[in-house]
Amino acid sequence: EVQLVQSGAEVKKPGESLEISCQGSAYSFTSYFIAWVRQMPGKGLEWVGIIYPADSNTRYSPSFQGQVTISADKSRNTAYLRWNSLTASDTAMYYCARQYNFDTGSFGYWGQGTLVTVSS
Amino acid sequence: AIQLTQSPSSLSAPVGDRVTITCRASQGIRITLAWYQQKPGKAPKLLIYDASSLESGVPSRFSGSGSGTDFTLTISSLQPEDFATYYCQQFNSYPYTFGQGTKLEIK
């Protein structure tokens, strides 16, 4: 069974750095795109960006370009989302999601979410 | 970026009703559209991909249609477990984008 398991909830202060993770299992990790999606409290889904783990080719939404970094470690079957300097507006639930199949950009497998809280 | 506009933003309907949610793209996206269901505190769940293909295990009362700029998600007979928020998402071009969501509530 395909699974994406995300790292646990984080509480950070403004200005701190953070990296959250998403580990895939029961499939060929390098063969499918993984995306990150933000959901701010009480709000809708926002597409952050995407990575192809085979070559680490990455694309970002303009809203998030330069604010976060997406990476992947093939040896660990894990994708990451990193901030160098958090702000209160980064407080949200972050989901990773895997491409459903080779022929579609829809996302059929989702992690359980990582809640990031940034507060002084 | 391609904008997706869902309507209505919220909807109240009784069990058994037929419900339609629409998603309009700011430019043509062929059939590169998916629909998701999200319940409170849970990750989104894929319902429909490629505009009209039903994800495995999703009840047949859900259906999707459309191409180009106009798409619909239809629930033929609402069940209690269908009350949730629904999102469309395009994957025609980067950045992929979501609609703002449609909250479906019990009447």
Side-chain angles (χ1 to χ4, degrees):
Chain A
E1 177 193 0
V2 173
Q3 278 197 313
L4 297 175
V5 177
Q6 297 185 228
S7 50
E10 301 274 1
V11 179
K12 292 289 191 179
K13 290 182 167 46
E16 292 187 330
S17 64
L18 174 65
E19 184 173 77
I20 61 175
S21 65
C22 168
Q23 184 173 41
S25 62
Y27 73 95
S28 173
F29 182 73
T30 55
S31 298
Y32 296 87
F33 286 87
I34 289 184
W36 287 94
V37 175
R38 183 175 81 173
Q39 189 165 39
M40 299 177 78
K43 301 299 183 183
L45 304 174
E46 298 174 273
W47 191 81
V48 175
I50 197 167
I51 189 166
Y52 189 59
D55 59 11
S56 288
N57 190 14
T58 308
R59 300 293 294 266
Y60 297 90
S61 169
S63 300
F64 294 92
Q65 181 83 47
Q67 309 305 309
V68 297
T69 302
I70 296 172
S71 62
D73 183 338
K74 293 183 285 188
S75 68
R76 296 176 185 268
N77 287 356
T78 301
Y80 302 93
L81 180 63
R82 178 177 177 82
W83 296 259
N84 288 331
S85 181
L86 288 158
T87 69
S89 62
D90 294 316
T91 294
M93 181 72 82
Y94 292 86
Y95 294 102
C96 64
R98 199 209 83 172
Q99 180 186 17
Y100 177 51
N101 61 34
F102 296 128
D103 299 322
T104 180
S106 58
F107 296 94
Y109 304 94
W110 291 71
Q112 81 277 20
T114 296
L115 181 62
V116 174
T117 304
V118 184
S119 174
S120 54
Chain B
I2 296 172
Q3 294 185 1
L4 298 179
T5 303
Q6 289 182 230
S7 60
S9 296
S10 63
L11 175 60
S12 180
V15 171
D17 249 22
R18 179 184 180 90
V19 166
T20 297
I21 299 169
T22 66
C23 178
R24 176 162 288 175
S26 59
Q27 64 190 72
I29 59 170
R30 302 170 292 160
I31 59 167
T32 57
L33 190 99
W35 289 96
Y36 301 87
Q37 176 193 65
Q38 188 181 31
K39 295 183 178 180
K42 299 294 187 182
K45 174 186 174 184
L46 178 66
L47 299 175
I48 302 285
Y49 63 96
D50 296 349
S52 61
S53 296
L54 192 68
E55 155 74 315
S56 176
V58 173
S60 59
R61 63 181 179 272
F62 291 91
S63 64
S65 65
S67 67
T69 59
D70 294 307
F71 301 86
T72 60
L73 172 70
T74 298
I75 310 172
S76 60
S77 178
L78 273 174
Q79 298 302 301
E81 60 268 30
D82 299 337
F83 292 94
T85 301
Y86 293 84
Y87 296 92
C88 57
Q89 176 235 328
Q90 67 82 19
F91 47 94
N92 183 76
S93 59
Y94 293 127
Y96 293 174
T97 47
F98 290 94
Q100 81 279 14
T102 295
K103 187 173 184 179
L104 180 53
E105 297 176 305
I106 300 174
K107 189 171 186 176

